[in-house]
């Protein structure tokens, strides 16, 4: 900065200072009040002549001579130290000096450096305190002039990158001008605005002190993301209650979702806006509500949120300006799921549920935004009531009901699925779900006995299919020869409820009735003690030590194999065959099961536990039905004989069982199996069964020396039978020859 005239007047003259340095003596000469040197040879003045009397040209020459450099470096150093400009700062003089530079590019760089230096004068003395000795407008105008000339230098040199840098500097100078015009104390330098990180700090500092328009200018001029400024500006407008202004600010950075059916949370800025508005809406309480509060209600004043929420109606809640503004942002910038969540959060199921139908939301929105939260909060019944209120026929909800059932079934939420099926009048599937409840997680028939109420419910659901009163406002689908595709299929039919013909319904109800009787019987028999099924011989007990894990009790709702197992359990449930035979016979007949196979399995078990009397009782019961043939009874006995055939201690009992057979062939086979070749031989010889004797002989041959005699007997008998056959053949030939006519 230039020295003042007063400062120059108090200093010794140049001539005096030079003489003092070279001669060590001091001169008493001083500057005249006009500021010129008196008696100075350098000035060429006339001794005793005042400076004011010198002509203008003489003053200029004296000034130039005073600061003229010589070949003496020591003298030149003093001259440079004492040099000053008459008018400073002076951009014209600066540019005139720089015009003498030979390199335009280097000259331009020097100008840019001077601009950076000048911008430092705009910095505050300390944060928030401006420098009162600086003329900010003058500095900015000087910088603009210098930058314009620097740009000309770079254009002359053809340096396009430096031209762009000049434009950037000019932009930043304009920004500094805005800082000055805004009366902002913390003015940054050009270097700070050029650096992105420093510019971001400047922007954030302006946002913090709520100089938002200035912060926006910094972000724009410095190439920063303006979203942070618009967000802070918008939030400031929201806090001030300027909702239209906030909308205008947020509209610059917020975008509506491309697909509102997507399950995605709102953007962070939108979430912050919603949170602020909801807090403002919850804390707002009108003066009228406070004044009209009854006397002594201190709680209403001290805890206004709870009182306001409990006393205000839903319509009053949504009449609140903050919540109305919150709805605007949700409807404009959020997905349907966020909108549904907002309505549900404020206890307005009417709007939440109606939104699903009005906007035709996706099934995912219905499930994730309504169904799942309602299940967690225990308000599923309220959701169903709202659905019925909007459409008593539930036809508009078909696609959502179908998707809900699939979701519940896929996630194993069977009890919720059961109540949902009853709500949508899908009685057939509700009955099937009751059957599933009846069978799941059971270990014994006592467990099944405790769950018989599920079968009673299932029967009632099957009856409801044909009862028009049970359908209420839901139209009952027509009953055809088949069943509807339902939610488990991929059909596009409007009917999503499973339907059965009356004959199929009757069949299922009879099955459940029979299962109830089976369960009660087996439970009663189990209470009396161990039946035939639980008994075992010592041999079978040693081979079956109970290492196998207990199996699930079979029911009549399984496949044919499982139903056959139920029939066997019914036969063996009591201490005698007669106790369970009638029930087992009904099961076999109703489901057309292979009776002989079932009876044979039971017979083997009885033979295994040495209950030969029960085997005979089983045969008596089978024959009493009038549906069994002798061959069927022989197959059952054959199965029993095979169990004891290898046990020599049971030979007598095996012979008794063989004698119960009706077919000689079956008896012979049983005797051979038991090793009773003699008995088989006698029976075969009695009937002159050559093939059976041959089989007996082969069995004796395989037995070795122990049956050598029987082998010989069979060979003798077969030889005699062969001779007899030959004699009969010869007699037949003679008889045929005798009958031939003679010629």
């Amino acid at each position: 900065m230039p020295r003042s005239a007063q400062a120059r007047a108090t200093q010794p003259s140049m001539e005096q200072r030079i003489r003092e340095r070279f001669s060590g003596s001091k001169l008493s000469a001083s500057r005249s009040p006009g500021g010129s040197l008196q008696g100075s040879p350098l000035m060429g003045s006339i001794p005793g002549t005042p400076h004011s009397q010198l002509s203008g040209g003489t003053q200029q020459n004296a000034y130039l001579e005073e600061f003229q450099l010589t070949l003496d470096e020591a003298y030149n150093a003093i001259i440079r130290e004492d040099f000053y400009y008459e008018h400073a700062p002076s951009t014209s003089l600066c540019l005139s000096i720089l015009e003498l530079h030979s390199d335009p590019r280097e000259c331009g760089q020097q100008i840019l450096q001077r601009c950076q230096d000048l911008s430092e004068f705009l910095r505050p003395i300390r944060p928030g305190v401006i420098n009162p000795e600086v003329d900010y407008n003058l500095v900015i105008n000087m910088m603009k002039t210098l930058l314009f000339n620097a740009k000309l230098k770079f254009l002359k040199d053809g340096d396009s990158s430096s031209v762009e840098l000049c434009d950037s500097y000019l932009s930043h100078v304009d920004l500094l001008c805005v800082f000055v015009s805004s009366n902002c104390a913390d003015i940054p330098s050009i270097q700070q605005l050029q650096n992105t990180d420093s510019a971001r700090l400047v922007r954030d500092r302006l946002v913090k002190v709520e100089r938002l328009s200035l912060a926006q200018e910094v972000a724009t001029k410095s190439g920063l993301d303006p979203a942070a400024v618009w967000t802070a500006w918008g939030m400031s407008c929201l806090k001030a209650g300027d909702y239209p202004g906030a909308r205008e600010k947020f509209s610059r950075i917020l975008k509506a979702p491309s697909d509102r059916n997507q399950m995605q949370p709102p953007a962070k800025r939108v979430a912050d806006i919603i949170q602020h508005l909801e807090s403002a809406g919850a804390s707002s309480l009108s003066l009228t509500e406070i004044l009209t509060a009854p006397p002594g209600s201190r709680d209403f004043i001290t805890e206004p949120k709870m009182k306001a929420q409990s006393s205000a109606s839903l319509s009053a809640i949504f009449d609140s300006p903050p919540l109305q503004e919150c709805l605007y942002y949700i409807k404009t910038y959020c997905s349907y799921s966020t909108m549904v969540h907002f309505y549900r959060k404020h206890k307005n199921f009417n709007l939440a549920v109606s939104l699903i139908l009005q906007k035709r939301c996706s099934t995912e929105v219905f499930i994730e935004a309504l169904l799942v939260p309602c299940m967690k909060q225990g308000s599923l019944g309220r959701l169903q009531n709202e659905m019925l209120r909007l459409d008593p026929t539930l036809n508009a909800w078909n696609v959502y009901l179908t998707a809900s059932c699939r979701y519940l079934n896929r996630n194993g939420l069977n009890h919720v699925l059961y109540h949902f099926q009853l709500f949508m009048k899908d009685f057939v599937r509700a009955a099937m779900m009751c059957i599933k409840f009846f069978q799941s997680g059971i270990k014994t028939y006592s467990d099944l006995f405790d769950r018989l109420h599920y079968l009673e419910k299932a029967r009632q659901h099957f009856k409801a299919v044909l009862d028009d009163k049970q359908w209420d406002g839901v139209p009952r689908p027509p009953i055809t020869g088949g069943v509807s595709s339902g939610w488990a299929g991929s059909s596009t039919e409007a009917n999503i409820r499973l339907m059965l013909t009356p004959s199929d319904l009757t069949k299922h109800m009879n099955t459940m009735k029979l299962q109830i009787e089976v369960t009660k019987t087996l439970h009663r028999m189990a209470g009396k003690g161990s039946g035939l099924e639980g008994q075992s011989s010592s041999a079978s007990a040693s081979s079956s030590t109970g290492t196998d894990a207990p199996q699930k009790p079979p029911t009549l709702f399984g496949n044919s194999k499982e139903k056959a197992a139920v029939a066997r359990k019914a036969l063996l449930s009591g201490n005698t065959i007669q106790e369970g035979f009638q029930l087992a016979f009904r099961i076999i007949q109703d489901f057309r099961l292979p009776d002989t196979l079932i009876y044979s399995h039971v017979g083997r078990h009885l033979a295994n536990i040495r209950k030969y009397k029960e085997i005979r009782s089983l045969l008596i019961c089978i024959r009493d039905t009038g549906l069994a043939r002798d061959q069927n009874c022989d197959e059952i006995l054959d199965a029993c004989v095979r169990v004891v055939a290898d046990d020599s201690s049971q030979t007598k009992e095996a012979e008794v069982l063989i004698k119960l057979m009706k077919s000689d062939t079956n008896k012979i086979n049983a005797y051979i199996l038991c090793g009773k070749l003699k008995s088989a031989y006698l029976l075969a010889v009695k009937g002159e069964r050559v093939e059976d004797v041959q089989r007996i002989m082969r069995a004796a041959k395989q037995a070795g020396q122990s049956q050598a005699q029987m082998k010989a007997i069979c060979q003798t008998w077969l030889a005699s039978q062969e001779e007899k056959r030959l004699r009969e053949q010869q007699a037949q030939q003679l008889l045929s020859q005798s009958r031939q006519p003679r010629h």
Side-chain angles (χ1 to χ4, degrees):
M1 298 295 294
R3 299 179 183 177
S4 63
Q6 183 178 358
R8 292 197 307 269
T10 59
Q11 293 178 353
S13 65
M14 179 65 65
E15 180 182 359
Q16 182 179 358
R17 293 178 61 192
I18 294 174
R19 289 178 178 178
E20 288 178 354
R21 175 164 299 191
F22 285 97
S23 63
S25 62
K26 294 186 177 180
L27 296 177
S28 59
S30 61
R31 293 181 184 271
S32 67
S36 61
L37 291 173
Q38 295 182 358
S40 173
L42 294 174
M43 298 293 299
S45 58
I46 303 173
T49 304
H51 185 270
S52 58
Q53 297 180 5
L54 297 177
S55 63
T58 305
Q59 289 184 3
Q60 183 176 5
N61 293 334
Y63 179 79
L64 293 176
E65 291 178 358
E66 179 180 2
F67 297 106
Q68 186 174 3
L69 300 178
T70 64
L71 297 178
D72 190 347
E73 291 298 330
Y75 179 82
N76 292 342
I78 298 175
I79 292 297
R80 291 190 180 94
E81 181 181 353
D82 199 59
F83 176 77
Y84 65 93
Y85 292 105
E86 285 290 335
H87 302 286
S90 175
T91 54
S92 59
L93 181 58
C94 175
L95 294 175
S96 298
I97 295 174
L98 291 174
E99 283 293 337
L100 302 175
H101 205 293
S102 60
D103 188 355
R105 177 178 298 181
E106 182 66 24
C107 181
Q109 294 294 337
Q110 287 292 330
I111 295 177
L112 294 181
Q113 183 61 43
R114 299 289 78 76
C115 288
Q116 293 179 6
D117 297 340
L118 285 173
S119 68
E120 292 292 334
F121 287 102
L122 302 178
R123 299 285 302 278
I125 300 175
R126 56 182 179 273
V129 180
I130 63 175
N131 190 349
E133 298 182 0
V134 176
D135 187 346
Y136 289 90
N137 291 322
L138 174 62
V139 173
I140 289 175
N141 290 331
M142 292 171 60
M143 293 169 63
K144 288 182 179 180
T145 303
L146 292 176
L147 288 173
F148 178 76
N149 282 271
K151 186 175 181 180
L152 294 178
K153 295 290 184 182
F154 291 132
L155 287 173
K156 182 178 179 180
D157 189 64
D159 189 355
S160 58
S161 61
S162 298
V163 172
E164 294 178 358
L165 182 60
C166 287
D167 292 334
S168 175
Y169 272 48
L170 285 171
S171 176
H172 292 152
V173 170
D174 292 337
L175 184 56
L176 295 177
C177 185
V178 175
F179 272 87
V180 172
S181 61
S182 300
N183 197 24
C184 180
D186 292 326
I187 302 178
S189 63
I190 290 182
Q191 292 91 327
Q192 288 179 302
L193 297 178
Q194 281 290 112
N195 185 271
T196 303
D197 295 334
S198 300
R200 186 177 292 107
L201 293 176
V202 173
R203 180 203 65 185
D204 296 342
R205 186 168 62 250
L206 292 172
V207 170
K208 186 176 181 180
V209 298
E210 296 188 356
R211 302 297 294 266
L212 299 173
S213 59
L214 198 54
Q216 184 60 36
E217 289 289 339
V218 172
T220 303
K221 298 287 187 180
S222 300
L224 302 177
D225 183 14
V229 180
W230 289 121
T231 300
W233 205 341
M235 292 300 295
S236 178
C237 292
L238 284 182
K239 295 176 182 178
D242 183 12
Y243 295 146
R247 290 186 183 185
E248 190 272 332
K249 303 301 185 297
F250 285 126
S251 64
R252 299 174 179 269
I253 55 175
L254 299 180
K255 294 182 180 180
S258 58
D259 184 8
R260 296 186 183 272
N261 279 315
Q262 290 183 352
M263 291 300 302
Q264 57 183 9
K268 185 180 183 303
R269 292 189 178 94
V270 180
D272 293 340
I273 295 171
I274 295 173
Q275 182 180 2
H276 170 75
L277 291 173
E278 283 183 330
S279 300
S283 61
S284 63
L285 190 63
S286 66
L287 179 61
T288 304
E289 290 174 326
I290 299 177
L291 295 177
T292 56
S297 58
R298 293 184 58 190
D299 292 340
F300 187 82
I301 306 300
T302 57
E303 298 180 4
K305 296 181 182 179
M306 296 177 58
K307 294 295 181 179
Q309 291 178 358
S310 61
S311 60
S313 62
L314 292 177
S315 59
I317 291 176
F318 284 98
D319 286 343
S320 170
L323 289 185
Q324 287 182 350
E325 193 67 15
C326 188
L327 274 175
Y328 164 78
Y329 286 99
I330 291 176
K331 292 179 179 179
T332 307
Y333 301 110
C334 295
S335 61
Y336 291 141
S337 61
T338 305
M339 201 177 307
V340 171
H341 172 75
F342 176 79
Y343 287 137
R344 185 174 48 79
K345 180 179 180 181
H346 293 278
K347 311 300 181 184
N348 199 324
F349 270 73
N350 181 17
L351 294 178
V353 179
S354 60
L355 177 71
I356 299 294
L357 291 182
Q358 292 174 1
K359 301 298 183 179
R360 296 182 180 180
C361 300
S362 64
T363 56
E364 186 179 7
V365 173
F366 175 80
I367 293 173
E368 298 295 338
L370 266 183
L371 179 63
V372 174
C374 287
M375 286 191 299
K376 293 180 179 179
Q377 297 175 0
S379 56
L380 189 60
R382 187 175 182 182
L383 171 62
Q384 294 173 348
N385 292 336
E386 290 294 336
M387 294 171 67
L388 280 174
R389 187 186 62 81
L390 292 175
D391 183 15
T393 66
L394 294 179
N395 288 334
W397 298 100
N398 278 353
V399 61
Y400 302 106
L401 294 174
T402 300
S404 299
C405 290
R406 288 174 178 167
Y407 172 83
L408 296 172
N409 183 60
R410 183 170 60 251
N411 290 275
L413 303 173
N414 294 328
H415 287 277
V416 181
L417 176 59
Y418 169 67
H419 290 288
F420 223 80
Q421 289 166 344
L422 291 180
F423 162 71
M424 58 189 290
K425 309 301 180 184
D426 195 355
F427 295 114
V428 175
R429 287 197 178 91
M432 293 180 176
M433 186 58 66
C434 287
I435 295 174
K436 186 175 183 178
F437 293 152
F438 173 74
Q439 299 180 93
S440 61
I442 57 173
K443 296 181 180 180
T444 63
Y445 269 90
S446 296
D447 297 337
L448 289 176
F449 180 79
D450 295 335
R451 300 187 181 189
L452 284 179
H453 60 280
Y454 285 120
L455 294 186
E456 294 294 342
K457 286 184 179 180
R459 291 184 64 188
Q460 296 300 323
H461 295 330
F462 278 131
K463 291 179 181 179
V465 176
L466 302 177
D467 188 359
D468 293 335
K469 296 180 180 179
Q470 299 293 330
W471 290 84
D472 297 330
V474 179
R476 187 177 70 177
I479 300 177
T480 59
V483 297
S484 65
S485 62
W487 52 264
S490 59
S491 176
T492 58
E493 296 179 7
N495 179 25
I496 62 173
R497 297 161 185 86
L498 182 63
M499 296 298 293
L500 298 177
T501 60
S503 59
D504 291 334
L505 292 174
T506 303
K507 180 181 177 181
H508 285 296
M509 285 190 287
N510 290 337
T511 300
M512 285 185 287
K513 182 179 179 181
L514 186 56
Q515 179 63 53
I516 292 174
E517 184 177 352
V518 169
T519 304
K520 291 180 178 180
T521 300
L522 295 179
H523 175 68
R524 184 179 67 255
M525 294 298 182
K528 292 181 179 181
S530 178
L532 294 173
E533 185 180 15
Q535 300 179 16
S536 60
S537 64
S538 58
S540 62
S542 61
S543 61
S544 177
T545 58
T547 56
D548 296 336
Q551 296 181 352
K552 176 182 176 182
T555 64
L556 298 178
F557 303 111
N559 53 25
S560 298
K561 184 178 179 180
E562 193 171 349
K563 292 172 182 175
V566 175
R568 295 195 298 268
K569 279 186 172 291
L571 278 170
L572 299 171
S573 61
N575 292 321
T576 62
I577 288 296
Q578 289 85 351
E579 293 180 13
F581 182 81
Q582 289 300 325
L583 182 59
F585 181 73
R586 285 176 54 191
I587 296 172
I588 292 172
Q589 293 301 311
D590 287 353
F591 298 103
R592 299 179 181 180
L593 301 176
D595 52 353
T596 303
L597 185 61
I598 294 174
Y599 295 142
S600 298
H601 191 283
V602 173
R604 285 196 295 270
H605 178 75
L606 294 174
N608 208 4
I609 62 176
R610 309 300 187 245
K611 293 290 184 178
Y612 302 109
K613 181 180 178 181
E614 298 303 325
I615 294 176
R616 291 191 289 271
S617 298
L618 175 62
L619 293 174
I620 293 172
C621 292
I622 294 173
R623 289 192 174 100
D624 288 343
T625 61
L627 300 177
R629 296 177 300 174
D630 291 341
Q631 180 61 30
N632 300 127
C633 294
D634 287 354
E635 290 181 10
I636 298 170
L637 289 169
D638 181 72
C640 297
V641 170
R642 289 179 180 274
V643 175
V644 298
D646 297 332
D647 192 351
S648 58
S649 64
Q650 302 296 319
T651 302
K652 183 178 180 180
E653 297 297 338
E655 291 181 355
V656 173
L657 294 176
I658 294 173
K659 290 178 181 179
L660 294 176
M661 294 181 180
K662 298 298 182 180
S663 172
D664 290 341
T665 302
N666 292 333
K667 289 181 179 180
I668 293 172
N669 292 335
Y671 280 131
I672 295 174
L673 185 64
C674 294
K676 298 295 182 179
L677 300 182
K678 181 178 179 181
S679 299
Y681 172 76
L682 294 176
L683 188 59
V685 169
K686 182 179 179 181
E688 294 185 351
R689 299 173 177 272
V690 177
E691 293 181 358
D692 291 337
V693 174
Q694 290 176 346
R695 289 196 297 113
I696 294 170
M697 184 183 66
R698 288 196 294 269
K701 184 178 180 180
Q702 292 177 356
Q705 294 297 326
S706 60
Q707 296 291 342
Q709 185 178 1
M710 179 54 61
K711 175 183 176 183
I713 293 173
C714 291
Q715 290 176 345
T716 302
W717 187 85
L718 289 173
S720 63
Q721 287 297 109
E722 181 66 21
E723 292 177 358
K724 182 179 178 181
R725 187 184 65 80
L726 291 175
R727 288 195 300 268
E728 289 178 355
Q729 185 177 5
Q730 291 176 358
Q732 194 70 21
Q733 291 177 355
L734 292 174
L735 181 60
S736 61
Q737 290 177 0
S738 63
R739 290 179 179 179
Q740 291 180 359
R742 296 180 180 179
H743 299 288

